[in-house]
Amino acid sequence: MHWLEGARRRAAARLMFRNAKLRLTMPEAWQVHKSVIEWNARYSDDRIPDQALGVDAATAKLMRWIMQRWQRVEFFNTWLAGTLAPRLQMDLIPGLACAAHFVLTAPRRPQRVDDYLDAGRAMQRFWLTATAQGLQLQPEMTPLIFARYVREDRVFSGTPGMQQRAEALSRQGAALTGSAVWETAVCMGRIGAGKPATARSLRRPLRDLLVGPTGRR
């Protein structure tokens, strides 16, 4: 576990803020966001309830209208700083207000299925331990996702300039944590004291996961 505190905590918050702009200005990501948010919801079995996004009610209402069409997203992003309010509320402010950011690393870069299972096991153990101590934890996976695309030379967007921006952000992440940590990172997030979440995604009902005579196929 590698901790980003003090000046590095502030640098991590800025890194999240910049990564969020990449995420929110990419049409491919818009399609994902449009499908995974459940609006006017406090809980959701299979999506993200809008009340768990971390934005105020006015911003959520505007986001819902804008996200119905990519043309609206593009217009607001280009002319009205459409990403500013979500990035401030979901990334920068909580990133500055948390106790620390953290990076969980593996002994080596994950490659096999078992490596990813080990990473998930370690992440859940850490998260459950933090919860048992009365702490709140929020994953911050966007930088690691884009860094992996860069490392594996994946083309993830048809929009000119996105690949170059992701490369620059990956270099900033490596500079912040050290290249060895960045190369083997499996989870990143922020942690600190705070009130428990009042809205969240829930587990899907067991009946939806069963396969066979007693469940869905």
Side-chain angles (χ1 to χ4, degrees):
M1 183 66 67
H2 301 266
W3 298 100
L4 304 175
E5 303 173 282
R8 293 205 298 168
R9 174 178 58 83
R10 294 188 291 273
R14 292 192 295 271
L15 179 65
M16 300 305 152
F17 184 71
R18 291 189 289 266
N19 267 275
K21 185 173 183 179
L22 176 61
R23 181 183 75 234
L24 294 173
T25 54
M26 193 169 65
E28 293 83 358
W30 162 75
Q31 293 175 346
V32 175
H33 296 154
K34 188 170 182 253
S35 66
V36 301
I37 298 175
E38 183 170 342
W39 299 102
N40 295 324
R42 182 178 177 185
Y43 302 108
S44 178
D45 289 340
D46 58 357
R47 286 176 287 169
I48 303 171
D50 64 329
Q51 295 177 32
L53 293 175
V55 298
D56 59 41
T59 301
K61 186 175 182 179
L62 183 61
M63 285 174 60
R64 181 181 185 181
W65 180 80
I66 292 173
M67 290 177 63
Q68 291 176 4
R69 298 180 183 177
W70 171 248
Q71 291 80 1
R72 294 177 184 173
V73 176
E74 194 171 32
F75 177 84
F76 270 77
N77 288 347
T78 303
W79 303 107
L80 300 174
T83 70
L84 185 59
R87 290 192 295 145
L88 284 172
Q89 295 180 47
M90 292 192 293
D91 298 279
L92 185 62
I93 293 175
L96 293 172
C98 69
H101 298 259
F102 65 87
V103 182
L104 179 64
T105 62
R108 61 182 181 276
R109 185 191 301 172
Q111 294 179 331
R112 302 174 301 136
V113 172
D114 285 351
D115 296 334
Y116 289 100
L117 290 174
D118 288 341
R121 186 180 299 113
M123 179 193 72
Q124 291 216 4
R125 184 182 298 118
F126 175 65
W127 197 334
L128 289 170
T129 301
T131 301
Q133 297 298 316
L135 298 173
Q136 307 302 320
L137 186 151
Q138 174 65 42
E140 298 173 318
M141 298 301 292
T142 302
L144 299 186
I145 292 170
F146 284 123
R148 181 182 177 187
Y149 291 160
V150 169
R151 187 166 55 245
E152 297 180 354
D153 200 24
R154 293 192 191 184
V155 177
F156 59 84
S157 177
T159 302
M162 292 293 177
Q163 300 287 143
Q164 293 76 10
R165 287 167 60 183
E167 290 170 5
L169 289 167
S170 183
R171 289 193 295 270
Q172 293 170 24
L176 173 63
T177 66
S179 58
V181 171
W182 198 244
E183 287 289 317
T184 56
V186 295
C187 181
M188 190 172 185
R190 58 180 181 259
I191 190 169
K195 297 180 180 178
T198 57
R200 64 171 60 249
S201 299
L202 305 174
R203 294 182 179 89
R204 294 184 65 178
L206 181 59
R207 65 179 179 274
D208 290 349
L209 304 177
L210 293 175
V211 177
T214 59
R216 298 179 180 180
R217 293 186 181 275

